[in-house]
Amino acid sequence: DPLDEEFPAQGLVELQDVESGDMLVAPGYSRRFRGRYRDYFSRLQEEWEDGLRRRNIEVLKLRTGEDPAPELIGFFERRRLR
């Protein structure tokens, strides 16, 4: 989801940790904060994908703002040809 990749550039954003209930006020107006968030999300994504690949689990990336059909068709076609 693009909203996961890019932190909104909108004033102060109040966030809550779903596990601990802790609250955080994030400065969405700060370019530095948004850059650090983008870097963090990118590293998290890479670690997730690396872990899947180490376990021989295929990665299929879908985006919420796009039609998933072409990606799904390609994914299953590649699997069928193996």
Side-chain angles (χ1 to χ4, degrees):
D1 187 331
L3 292 176
D4 289 334
E5 296 172 13
E6 295 287 331
F7 198 87
Q10 300 176 351
L12 296 174
V13 179
E14 191 172 345
L15 306 170
Q16 182 176 19
D17 184 307
V18 294
E19 293 179 3
S20 68
D22 291 345
M23 298 298 289
L24 167 74
V25 177
Y29 57 81
S30 168
R31 284 188 193 145
R32 181 175 176 212
F33 177 83
R34 292 192 317 272
R36 289 173 49 202
Y37 177 86
R38 186 175 34 258
D39 293 344
Y40 165 79
F41 186 82
S42 177
R43 278 193 313 277
L44 187 65
Q45 190 86 17
E46 288 172 12
E47 290 172 10
W48 177 257
E49 291 176 19
D50 288 345
L52 293 173
R53 287 188 184 101
R54 281 193 305 275
R55 292 164 181 82
N56 294 317
I57 299 171
E58 294 181 67
V59 175
L60 173 62
K61 290 185 179 182
L62 300 174
R63 298 186 60 81
T64 57
E66 298 174 6
D67 181 5
E71 291 296 327
L72 288 167
I73 291 168
F75 175 79
F76 288 113
E77 183 66 22
R78 289 187 298 277
R79 291 191 73 182
R80 185 181 67 78
L81 295 174
R82 280 193 257 159

